[in-house]
Amino acid sequence: MPPLVTTLGSHSALQILKGAHDEGLPCAVVATRGRDALYRRYPFIDEVIAVDRYADFEGLQEQLGARGSVIVPHGSFVAYLGEAVNARIRLPYYGSREVLRWEGDRALQRRWLEAADIPMPRELEDPAAIDEWPVLVKTDGAAGGSGYFLANSRESLERQLAGLGDLGYTIQSYVVGVTLYVHYFQSAMRDRLEILSMDRRYETNVDAIGRLPMAAQAELEPQPSYVVVGNSPLVLRESMLEEAYRMGERVVASARELMGDGLWGPFCLETIITPDMRFQVIEISCRIVAGTNLFVDGAPYAALFFDEPMSTGRRIARELREAEEAGRLDEILSGPLPAAGTDTQT
Ligand code: AMP
Ligand code: AMP
């Protein structure tokens, strides 16, 4: 039975479902009533299942499981279903299970990336010992960078930290550079790492502050915020592409060493490029990221591997199809999602 590609109606669902359709796989989307209307507009979606609440997804498992459903997770799974429901889902899903635990815990993620020799902004544990400014304070549970703040001096840092109360936080050195998100795909079937596309996020208001003349900036003193509102495409200087590949390969290799089942499928390194043309990695996301929505019809980098338009969504479906044809589907599917804090953003 071919896998029934199933996802939740949000985030990058259209791309995932279109990809399944283009690869000849059946597909279904589960969406809340009201949001289901969007998905009924597109004839490539075989089935739209409307539910009253996202949590009702749990009750559909038996019906979907009997039809060979494979879940393709995206950034909304934890955001909309909640950790408890995610943990109880028994349907197989595409991707590694253990990797989510490493990704969701900031300390584990740092350990993993450091083991892979990935350059990252310094984490500054003791506010009193900071000798490098500016710093960025990331409050725990801040969604989409909306609870972050900058400090350019000890006085400013202490004043702002005092306002946090009991809220936990992490302090990082603030990297001034161009943000670039690299969309990788680790193929188990072809045993290779592909860079399919890249984007940069458009964040409000930080990406707009540069439009103010300096005098207005000085007068208004705008506090930057990092709320993502969209994504735009970017291609990288070709001389930096090999390093982007090497970073991805190192991350995959250390996942193999650190985690039982490693890392495969789509993942993204979120980088900031500094004026000396070096990457600083601020985060890894171990699934399809929303920036790939720019490339439903293919991307310049994907075109270097494939002679037809290849989005990340379609690449996932291609992998599922090849695995099914080779009788190896089990190798690339995992059991229930772990309960512990998985990232919900990208
Ligand atoms: P994150 O929640 O880690 O994905 O970060 C959200 C946004 O905050 C990023 O897209 C960047 O624009 C910004 N950001 C995060 N960490 C840093 C950093 N260390 N230096 C500069 N900007 C950062
Ligand atoms: P939405 O489908 O817009 O309600 O978004 C669902 C989840 O995905 C939320 O947690 C968003 O923060 C995240 N998300 C949606 N679009 C993007 C994007 N372009 N970049 C990063 N995260 C996103």
Side-chain angles (χ1 to χ4, degrees):
M1 175 164 43
L4 173 67
V5 173
T6 310
T7 197
L8 284 186
S10 161
H11 192 269
S12 46
L14 287 169
Q15 184 199 154
I16 292 167
L17 298 161
K18 177 71 163 62
H21 173 82
D22 289 347
E23 289 299 309
L25 297 179
C27 62
V29 64
V30 178
T32 44
R33 256 175 253 290
R35 261 184 120 153
D36 61 326
L38 173 70
Y39 299 96
R40 294 187 204 283
R41 290 177 189 275
Y42 299 101
F44 60 81
I45 303 175
D46 297 316
E47 197 174 338
V48 180
I49 305 171
V51 290
D52 290 325
R53 301 168 307 139
Y54 278 109
D56 294 342
F57 184 68
E58 211 182 341
L60 298 171
Q61 293 193 82
E62 204 161 321
Q63 171 204 338
L64 288 169
R67 296 166 53 206
S69 168
V70 167
I71 293 179
V72 176
H74 53 55
S76 295
F77 268 72
V78 175
Y80 287 176
L81 291 182
E83 286 179 16
V85 175
N86 262 290
R88 287 199 300 268
I89 288 177
R90 290 278 172 273
L91 289 172
Y93 73 94
Y94 176 61
S96 152
R97 168 186 173 178
E98 204 189 336
V99 85
L100 296 179
R101 189 171 65 84
W102 285 74
E103 177 197 351
D105 178 319
R106 266 193 189 140
L108 278 182
Q109 182 176 133
R110 186 161 274 265
R111 209 174 108 203
W112 172 18
L113 295 180
E114 275 172 1
D117 200 19
I118 299 296
M120 279 179 289
R122 277 177 61 199
E123 200 133 301
L124 307 156
E125 303 218 331
D126 176 7
I130 295 174
D131 54 3
E132 196 187 5
W133 306 95
V135 295
L136 181 67
V137 179
K138 301 185 169 187
T139 46
D140 288 352
S146 60
Y148 293 1
F149 58 82
L150 265 176
N152 204 20
S153 66
R154 192 172 316 282
E155 185 277 322
S156 155
L157 178 66
E158 280 167 4
R159 182 170 33 81
Q160 297 188 85
L161 287 179
L164 287 184
D166 290 338
L167 199 59
Y169 57 83
T170 324
I171 307 177
Q172 279 186 1
S173 54
Y174 187 77
V175 184
V176 182
V178 170
T179 52
L180 174 79
Y181 289 58
V182 186
H183 313 148
Y184 297 90
F185 188 88
Q186 173 65 30
S187 168
M189 300 308 298
R190 301 190 185 193
D191 192 23
R192 73 179 184 197
L193 180 70
E194 298 160 6
I195 288 177
L196 294 179
S197 50
M198 299 177 190
D199 78 292
R200 62 164 308 207
R201 283 195 192 171
Y202 210 69
E203 294 168 338
T204 182
N205 60 6
V206 71
D207 286 315
I209 288 174
R211 298 179 61 189
L212 295 174
M214 204 195 267
Q217 289 184 27
E219 196 182 327
L220 299 172
E221 294 185 33
Q223 264 298 319
S225 62
Y226 300 86
V227 180
V228 60
V229 286
N231 309 75
S232 51
L234 198 78
V235 285
L236 184 62
R237 276 175 73 159
E238 194 156 306
S239 51
M240 297 185 73
L241 193 54
E242 178 58 16
E243 181 53 21
Y245 268 109
R246 288 192 184 158
M247 287 195 303
E249 281 166 354
R250 294 203 298 270
V251 164
V252 171
S254 40
R256 274 196 198 114
E257 279 167 27
L258 292 170
M259 304 159 212
D261 51 1
L263 164 71
W264 68 88
F267 69 99
C268 173
L269 288 181
E270 308 184 355
T271 80
I272 301 179
I273 303 173
T274 49
D276 55 0
M277 282 180 48
R278 288 180 201 277
F279 294 100
Q280 292 277 319
V281 172
I282 50 177
E283 200 161 51
I284 182 168
S285 287
C286 302
R287 72 190 76 73
I288 186 168
V289 293
T292 60
N293 285 340
L294 283 162
F295 306 108
V296 169
D297 199 31
Y301 294 109
L304 302 170
F305 284 115
F306 299 96
D307 289 329
E308 68 250 272
M310 187 60 68
S311 66
T312 293
R314 185 170 181 183
R315 186 66 189 86
I316 294 169
R318 170 77 49 102
E319 186 86 345
L320 288 171
R321 186 163 66 75
E322 289 181 353
E324 205 254 335
E325 283 165 6
R328 293 175 53 193
L329 206 48
D330 282 357
E331 282 175 38
I332 60 167
L333 302 180
S334 308
L337 287 162
T342 32
D343 168 42
T344 57
Q345 288 318 306
T346 51

